[in-house]
Amino acid sequence: MMTTADGVVGSGPAPQAPGKVKAFLRLVMIEHSVFALPFAYIAALTAMFRLDGTTHWLKLLLVTVCMVGLRTFAMAANRIIDREIDARNPRTAGRELVTGAVSVRSAWTGAGVALAVFLGAAALLNPLCLALAPLAVVPMVVYPYGKRFTNFPHAILGLAQAMGPIGAWLAVTGEWSWDAVILGLAVGVWIGGFDLIFGCQDVAADRAEGVKSVPARFGIPAALWGARGAHVVTTALLAWYAVATHAGVFFWVGLVIVVAAFLYEHTIVTPHDLSRLNRAFFTVNGFIGIALFVCAVLDLAVRGLTL
């Protein structure tokens, strides 16, 4: 018998312990960088289009390093801080820090390396990015503690994620942009909204452990309605961003695709049926970011951005 990462018991031989690096990458779910990266790229490429109409590949690479480094640090810190809570939740009892596949010391080491990589890449971009980098770290650490003192930790997660597009724009221009803030807010509200959906599967465990969240405090129906409202606001903010940046037809096509994906997402998850929650969370939201990114790049290329 063996237990999967989702707490599902099945038969068969236990898998071999992965290498330390592989186990750490599983711990921080490195593949989930796909959620936030496309929006950082949209901001960076739009800034490049306005700056000189040319794609600066080195800056895009450094933006990527910053995003992945900071997210890796955030996920490692989250897992370390929450390891005792995770151990008491059947869904998360198979996580690497709980099972011992990754030691706390190794997790802190990985988090430290990721933070150093983030700060180093920020320093290579421009002085303003380096100066503001510590501010981006704060919500990443506060978020896992949020569920201990507020029913709205999803808002802290949204704030943390909103910094991606803003930072990407700063990386290119070295200057503040309210257009980037609009896109950042769209990303933050979007991710906060689907975190409401994701939290629905842990209601019983959260209530038993005193973990705070909207689903645990107000119930699953209220959380799903909150997610729907958040995604309506996300759509409005993306439309505002399109108007503010004078986006063309391809971006608007991308927005239509996003709306269709939102409608599908909220159709397959209901208060009485959470069986397709993982599809809504991982597949649909990953698709949303990639689809809008592809459409935004096409739009910028048609308008004259040299790739």
Side-chain angles (χ1 to χ4, degrees):
M1 302 290 286
M2 66 177 180
T3 303
T4 69
D6 291 325
V8 178
V9 177
S11 61
Q16 293 183 349
K20 290 184 178 181
V21 173
K22 183 178 179 181
F24 180 77
L25 294 178
R26 284 176 55 84
L27 175 77
V28 300
M29 303 178 78
I30 194 70
E31 68 276 10
H32 289 183
S33 299
V34 70
F35 292 145
L37 265 176
F39 292 90
Y41 290 151
I42 291 172
L45 290 170
T46 304
M48 291 174 188
F49 172 70
R50 286 189 172 181
L51 186 66
D52 58 14
T54 302
T55 301
H56 300 263
W57 292 102
L58 178 58
K59 286 190 175 181
L60 271 184
L61 175 62
L62 290 173
V63 166
T64 304
V65 173
C66 278
M67 290 287 293
V68 175
L70 183 57
R71 185 195 170 280
T72 299
F73 165 78
M75 285 294 295
N78 190 325
R79 294 292 192 253
I80 294 167
I81 294 166
D82 280 351
R83 64 189 184 278
E84 293 182 1
I85 293 175
D86 288 344
R88 296 190 292 270
N89 183 334
R91 183 182 66 82
T92 57
R95 284 179 175 169
E96 288 74 12
L97 278 173
V98 179
T99 64
V102 176
S103 67
V104 174
R105 181 178 179 179
S106 295
W108 274 125
T109 300
V113 170
L115 182 60
V117 168
F118 164 65
L119 294 174
L124 291 173
L125 282 165
N126 58 61
L128 183 59
C129 283
L130 180 60
L132 295 178
L135 295 179
V137 175
V138 172
M140 305 298 179
V141 177
V142 172
Y143 168 64
Y145 289 108
K147 62 177 70 72
R148 293 161 169 83
F149 63 81
T150 177
N151 291 313
F152 304 96
H154 327 278
I156 303 174
L157 176 63
L159 174 63
Q161 298 297 326
M163 295 186 181
I166 298 172
W169 197 295
L170 288 171
V172 173
T173 65
E175 298 177 353
W176 185 260
S177 167
W178 288 107
D179 292 343
V181 172
I182 298 170
L183 183 59
L185 288 174
V187 173
V189 175
W190 167 55
I191 291 180
F194 74 67
D195 193 53
L196 288 174
I197 299 174
F198 192 70
C200 289
Q201 64 189 321
D202 290 328
V203 167
D206 287 351
R207 288 174 176 170
E209 296 297 328
V211 175
K212 298 179 182 294
S213 71
V214 168
R217 173 63 179 83
F218 301 102
I220 292 175
L224 294 181
W225 276 110
R228 291 168 189 148
H231 292 159
V232 169
V233 173
T234 299
T235 302
L237 287 168
L238 288 174
W240 185 8
Y241 175 78
V243 172
T245 58
H246 308 289
V249 65
F250 281 109
F251 189 94
W252 288 102
V253 169
L255 185 53
V256 171
I257 294 173
V258 169
V259 171
F262 280 154
L263 292 173
Y264 174 71
E265 179 178 41
H266 291 288
T267 299
I268 64 174
V269 178
T270 68
H272 304 293
D273 183 7
L274 300 178
S275 63
R276 291 179 288 182
L277 187 147
N278 281 338
R279 184 191 302 178
F281 183 79
F282 298 113
T283 306
V284 177
N285 286 299
F287 169 78
I288 285 172
I290 294 172
L292 189 62
F293 167 69
V294 170
C295 290
V297 170
L298 286 173
D299 183 64
L300 290 169
V302 167
R303 292 162 61 195
L305 177 67
T306 302
L307 298 174

Coordinates of all heavy atoms in Angstrom, one line a residue, residues 26-79:
R26 N 10.0 19.2 -6.7 CA 8.6 18.7 -6.4 C 8.0 19.5 -5.3 O 6.8 19.8 -5.3 CB 8.6 17.2 -6.2 CG 8.7 16.3 -7.4 CD 8.8 14.9 -7.0 NE 7.7 14.4 -6.2 CZ 6.5 14.1 -6.8 NH1 6.3 14.1 -8.1 NH2 5.5 13.7 -6.0
L27 N 8.8 19.7 -4.3 CA 8.3 20.5 -3.1 C 7.8 21.8 -3.5 O 6.7 22.3 -3.0 CB 9.5 20.6 -2.1 CG 9.2 21.5 -0.9 CD1 8.3 20.7 0.1 CD2 10.5 21.9 -0.2
V28 N 8.5 22.5 -4.3 CA 8.1 23.9 -4.7 C 7.2 23.9 -5.9 O 6.8 25.0 -6.4 CB 9.4 24.8 -4.9 CG1 10.2 24.9 -3.7 CG2 10.2 24.3 -6.1
M29 N 6.9 22.7 -6.5 CA 6.1 22.6 -7.7 C 6.5 23.6 -8.7 O 5.8 24.5 -9.2 CB 4.6 22.9 -7.3 CG 4.1 21.9 -6.2 SD 2.4 22.2 -5.6 CE 1.5 21.4 -6.9
I30 N 7.7 23.4 -9.2 CA 8.4 24.4 -10.1 C 7.5 24.6 -11.4 O 7.5 25.7 -12.0 CB 9.8 23.9 -10.5 CG1 10.6 25.0 -11.1 CG2 9.8 22.6 -11.3 CD1 11.0 26.1 -10.2
E31 N 6.8 23.6 -11.8 CA 6.0 23.7 -13.0 C 4.9 24.7 -12.9 O 4.4 25.2 -14.0 CB 5.5 22.3 -13.4 CG 4.4 21.7 -12.5 CD 5.0 21.0 -11.3 OE1 6.2 21.1 -11.1 OE2 4.2 20.4 -10.6
H32 N 4.5 25.1 -11.7 CA 3.4 26.0 -11.6 C 3.8 27.5 -11.8 O 3.0 28.4 -11.7 CB 2.8 25.9 -10.2 CG 2.0 24.6 -10.0 ND1 1.3 24.3 -8.9 CD2 1.8 23.6 -10.8 CE1 0.8 23.1 -9.0 NE2 1.1 22.6 -10.2
S33 N 5.1 27.7 -12.2 CA 5.5 29.0 -12.6 C 4.8 29.5 -13.8 O 4.7 30.7 -14.1 CB 7.0 29.0 -12.9 OG 7.8 28.6 -11.8
V34 N 4.1 28.5 -14.5 CA 3.4 28.9 -15.7 C 2.2 29.8 -15.4 O 1.8 30.5 -16.3 CB 2.9 27.6 -16.4 CG1 1.8 26.9 -15.6 CG2 2.4 27.9 -17.9
F35 N 1.7 29.8 -14.2 CA 0.6 30.7 -13.9 C 1.0 32.2 -14.0 O 0.2 33.0 -14.6 CB 0.1 30.4 -12.5 CG -0.6 29.0 -12.4 CD1 -0.5 28.3 -11.2 CD2 -1.3 28.5 -13.4 CE1 -1.0 27.0 -11.1 CE2 -1.9 27.2 -13.3 CZ -1.8 26.5 -12.1
A36 N 2.1 32.6 -13.4 CA 2.4 34.0 -13.3 C 3.4 34.5 -14.4 O 3.3 35.6 -14.8 CB 3.0 34.3 -11.9
L37 N 4.2 33.6 -14.9 CA 5.2 34.0 -15.9 C 4.6 34.7 -17.1 O 5.2 35.7 -17.6 CB 6.1 32.8 -16.3 CG 7.4 32.7 -15.5 CD1 8.1 31.4 -16.0 CD2 8.3 33.9 -15.7
P38 N 3.6 34.1 -17.8 CA 3.1 34.8 -19.0 C 2.7 36.2 -18.8 O 2.9 37.0 -19.7 CB 1.8 33.9 -19.3 CG 2.1 32.6 -18.7 CD 2.9 32.9 -17.4
F39 N 2.2 36.6 -17.6 CA 1.7 37.9 -17.4 C 2.9 38.9 -17.2 O 2.9 40.0 -17.6 CB 0.8 38.0 -16.2 CG -0.5 37.3 -16.5 CD1 -0.7 36.0 -16.2 CD2 -1.6 38.1 -17.1 CE1 -1.9 35.4 -16.5 CE2 -2.8 37.5 -17.3 CZ -3.0 36.1 -17.1
A40 N 4.0 38.3 -16.6 CA 5.2 39.1 -16.5 C 5.8 39.4 -17.9 O 6.3 40.5 -18.2 CB 6.2 38.4 -15.6
Y41 N 5.7 38.4 -18.7 CA 6.2 38.5 -20.1 C 5.4 39.6 -20.9 O 5.9 40.4 -21.7 CB 6.2 37.2 -20.9 CG 7.2 36.2 -20.4 CD1 7.0 34.8 -20.5 CD2 8.4 36.6 -19.8 CE1 7.9 33.9 -20.1 CE2 9.4 35.7 -19.4 CZ 9.1 34.3 -19.5 OH 10.0 33.4 -19.1
I42 N 4.1 39.5 -20.7 CA 3.2 40.5 -21.3 C 3.6 41.9 -20.9 O 3.7 42.8 -21.8 CB 1.7 40.2 -21.0 CG1 1.2 38.9 -21.6 CG2 0.8 41.4 -21.5 CD1 -0.2 38.5 -21.2
A43 N 3.8 42.1 -19.6 CA 4.2 43.5 -19.2 C 5.6 43.9 -19.7 O 5.8 45.0 -20.2 CB 4.3 43.5 -17.6
A44 N 6.5 42.9 -19.7 CA 7.9 43.3 -20.2 C 7.9 43.6 -21.6 O 8.5 44.5 -22.1 CB 8.8 42.1 -19.9
L45 N 7.2 42.8 -22.4 CA 7.2 43.0 -23.9 C 6.4 44.3 -24.3 O 6.8 45.0 -25.2 CB 6.6 41.8 -24.6 CG 7.4 40.5 -24.6 CD1 6.6 39.3 -25.1 CD2 8.7 40.7 -25.4
T46 N 5.4 44.6 -23.5 CA 4.7 45.8 -23.8 C 5.6 47.0 -23.5 O 5.6 48.0 -24.2 CB 3.4 45.9 -23.0 OG1 2.6 44.8 -23.2 CG2 2.6 47.2 -23.3
A47 N 6.3 46.9 -22.4 CA 7.2 48.0 -22.0 C 8.3 48.1 -23.1 O 8.7 49.2 -23.5 CB 7.9 47.7 -20.7
M48 N 8.8 47.0 -23.6 CA 9.8 47.1 -24.7 C 9.3 47.7 -26.0 O 10.0 48.4 -26.7 CB 10.4 45.6 -25.0 CG 11.2 45.1 -23.8 SD 11.6 43.3 -24.1 CE 12.4 42.9 -22.6
F49 N 8.0 47.3 -26.3 CA 7.4 47.9 -27.4 C 7.3 49.4 -27.3 O 7.6 50.1 -28.3 CB 6.0 47.3 -27.6 CG 5.1 48.0 -28.6 CD1 5.4 47.8 -30.0 CD2 4.0 48.8 -28.3 CE1 4.6 48.4 -30.9 CE2 3.3 49.4 -29.2 CZ 3.5 49.2 -30.6
R50 N 7.0 49.9 -26.1 CA 6.9 51.3 -25.9 C 8.3 52.0 -25.9 O 8.4 53.1 -26.3 CB 6.2 51.7 -24.6 CG 4.6 51.4 -24.7 CD 4.0 52.0 -23.5 NE 2.6 51.9 -23.5 CZ 1.7 52.4 -22.6 NH1 2.3 52.9 -21.5 NH2 0.4 52.3 -22.7
L51 N 9.2 51.3 -25.4 CA 10.6 51.8 -25.2 C 11.3 52.1 -26.5 O 11.7 53.2 -26.9 CB 11.4 50.9 -24.3 CG 12.8 51.4 -23.9 CD1 12.7 52.6 -23.0 CD2 13.6 50.3 -23.2
D52 N 11.4 51.0 -27.3 CA 12.1 51.1 -28.6 C 11.6 50.2 -29.7 O 12.2 50.1 -30.7 CB 13.6 51.0 -28.4 CG 14.0 49.7 -27.8 OD1 13.2 48.8 -27.8 OD2 15.2 49.6 -27.4
G53 N 10.6 49.4 -29.4 CA 10.0 48.5 -30.3 C 10.8 47.2 -30.6 O 10.6 46.5 -31.5
T54 N 11.8 47.0 -29.7 CA 12.7 45.8 -29.8 C 12.6 44.9 -28.6 O 12.6 45.4 -27.5 CB 14.2 46.3 -30.0 OG1 14.2 47.2 -31.2 CG2 15.1 45.1 -30.2
T55 N 12.7 43.6 -28.9 CA 12.7 42.6 -27.8 C 14.1 42.5 -27.2 O 15.0 42.2 -28.0 CB 12.2 41.3 -28.2 OG1 10.9 41.4 -28.8 CG2 12.2 40.3 -27.1
H56 N 14.3 42.8 -25.9 CA 15.6 42.7 -25.3 C 15.6 41.3 -24.6 O 15.1 41.1 -23.5 CB 15.8 43.8 -24.3 CG 15.7 45.2 -24.9 ND1 16.8 45.9 -25.3 CD2 14.7 46.0 -25.3 CE1 16.5 47.0 -25.9 NE2 15.2 47.1 -25.9
W57 N 16.3 40.3 -25.2 CA 16.2 39.0 -24.7 C 16.9 38.8 -23.4 O 16.5 38.0 -22.6 CB 16.8 38.0 -25.8 CG 15.9 38.0 -27.0 CD1 16.0 38.6 -28.2 CD2 14.6 37.3 -27.1 NE1 15.0 38.3 -29.1 CE2 14.1 37.5 -28.4 CE3 13.9 36.4 -26.3 CZ2 12.9 37.0 -28.9 CZ3 12.7 35.9 -26.7 CH2 12.2 36.2 -28.0
L58 N 18.0 39.5 -23.2 CA 18.7 39.4 -21.9 C 17.8 39.8 -20.8 O 17.8 39.2 -19.7 CB 20.0 40.2 -22.0 CG 20.8 40.1 -20.7 CD1 21.2 38.7 -20.3 CD2 22.1 41.0 -20.8
K59 N 17.1 40.9 -21.0 CA 16.2 41.4 -19.9 C 15.1 40.4 -19.7 O 14.7 40.2 -18.5 CB 15.7 42.8 -20.2 CG 16.7 43.9 -20.1 CD 16.1 45.3 -20.2 CE 17.1 46.3 -19.9 NZ 16.5 47.7 -19.9
L60 N 14.6 39.8 -20.7 CA 13.6 38.8 -20.6 C 14.1 37.6 -19.8 O 13.4 37.0 -18.9 CB 13.0 38.3 -21.9 CG 11.9 39.1 -22.6 CD1 11.5 38.4 -23.9 CD2 10.7 39.2 -21.6
L61 N 15.3 37.2 -20.1 CA 15.9 36.1 -19.3 C 16.0 36.5 -17.8 O 15.7 35.6 -17.0 CB 17.3 35.8 -19.9 CG 18.1 34.7 -19.2 CD1 17.4 33.4 -19.1 CD2 19.5 34.6 -19.8
L62 N 16.5 37.7 -17.5 CA 16.6 38.1 -16.2 C 15.3 38.2 -15.5 O 15.2 37.9 -14.3 CB 17.4 39.4 -16.1 CG 18.9 39.4 -16.4 CD1 19.5 40.8 -16.5 CD2 19.6 38.5 -15.4
V63 N 14.3 38.6 -16.2 CA 12.9 38.7 -15.6 C 12.5 37.3 -15.3 O 11.9 37.0 -14.2 CB 11.9 39.3 -16.6 CG1 10.5 39.0 -16.2 CG2 12.1 40.8 -16.7
T64 N 12.8 36.3 -16.2 CA 12.4 34.9 -15.9 C 13.1 34.4 -14.7 O 12.5 33.8 -13.8 CB 12.8 34.0 -17.1 OG1 12.2 34.5 -18.3 CG2 12.4 32.6 -16.9
V65 N 14.4 34.7 -14.5 CA 15.2 34.3 -13.4 C 14.6 34.9 -12.1 O 14.5 34.2 -11.1 CB 16.7 34.6 -13.5 CG1 17.5 34.3 -12.3 CG2 17.3 33.9 -14.7
C66 N 14.3 36.2 -12.2 CA 13.7 36.8 -11.0 C 12.4 36.1 -10.6 O 12.2 35.8 -9.4 CB 13.4 38.3 -11.3 SG 14.9 39.4 -11.1
M67 N 11.5 35.9 -11.6 CA 10.2 35.3 -11.3 C 10.3 33.9 -10.7 O 9.7 33.6 -9.7 CB 9.4 35.3 -12.5 CG 8.9 36.7 -13.0 SD 7.6 37.4 -12.0 CE 6.3 36.3 -12.3
V68 N 11.1 33.1 -11.3 CA 11.3 31.7 -10.9 C 12.0 31.7 -9.5 O 11.6 30.9 -8.6 CB 12.0 30.9 -11.9 CG1 12.3 29.5 -11.4 CG2 11.2 30.8 -13.2
G69 N 13.0 32.5 -9.4 CA 13.7 32.6 -8.1 C 12.8 33.0 -6.9 O 12.8 32.3 -5.9
L70 N 12.1 34.1 -7.1 CA 11.2 34.5 -6.0 C 10.1 33.5 -5.7 O 9.8 33.3 -4.6 CB 10.6 35.9 -6.4 CG 9.8 36.6 -5.3 CD1 10.5 36.7 -4.0 CD2 9.2 37.9 -5.8
R71 N 9.5 33.0 -6.8 CA 8.4 32.0 -6.6 C 9.0 30.8 -5.9 O 8.3 30.2 -5.0 CB 7.8 31.6 -7.9 CG 6.6 30.7 -7.7 CD 6.1 30.0 -8.9 NE 5.1 29.0 -8.6 CZ 5.5 27.8 -8.1 NH1 6.7 27.5 -7.9 NH2 4.5 26.9 -7.8
T72 N 10.2 30.3 -6.2 CA 10.8 29.1 -5.6 C 11.0 29.4 -4.1 O 10.7 28.6 -3.2 CB 12.1 28.8 -6.3 OG1 11.8 28.4 -7.6 CG2 12.7 27.6 -5.6
F73 N 11.5 30.6 -3.8 CA 11.7 31.0 -2.4 C 10.4 31.0 -1.6 O 10.3 30.4 -0.5 CB 12.4 32.4 -2.3 CG 12.2 33.0 -0.9 CD1 13.1 32.5 0.1 CD2 11.3 33.9 -0.7 CE1 13.0 33.1 1.4 CE2 11.2 34.5 0.6 CZ 12.0 34.0 1.7
A74 N 9.4 31.6 -2.3 CA 8.0 31.7 -1.6 C 7.4 30.3 -1.4 O 6.9 30.1 -0.3 CB 7.1 32.5 -2.5
M75 N 7.5 29.4 -2.3 CA 6.9 28.1 -2.2 C 7.7 27.3 -1.1 O 7.1 26.6 -0.3 CB 7.0 27.3 -3.5 CG 5.9 27.8 -4.5 SD 4.2 27.4 -3.9 CE 4.2 25.6 -3.9
A76 N 9.0 27.4 -1.1 CA 9.8 26.7 -0.1 C 9.5 27.2 1.3 O 9.3 26.4 2.3 CB 11.3 26.8 -0.4
A77 N 9.4 28.5 1.5 CA 9.1 29.1 2.8 C 7.7 28.7 3.2 O 7.4 28.4 4.4 CB 9.2 30.6 2.7
N78 N 6.8 28.7 2.2 CA 5.4 28.3 2.5 C 5.3 26.9 3.1 O 4.7 26.6 4.1 CB 4.6 28.4 1.2 CG 3.1 28.2 1.5 OD1 2.6 27.5 2.3 ND2 2.3 29.0 0.7
R79 N 6.0 26.0 2.4 CA 6.0 24.5 2.8 C 6.7 24.4 4.2 O 6.2 23.6 5.0 CB 6.8 23.7 1.7 CG 6.1 23.6 0.4 CD 4.8 22.9 0.5 NE 4.2 22.6 -0.9 CZ 3.2 23.2 -1.4 NH1 2.5 24.1 -0.7 NH2 2.8 22.8 -2.6

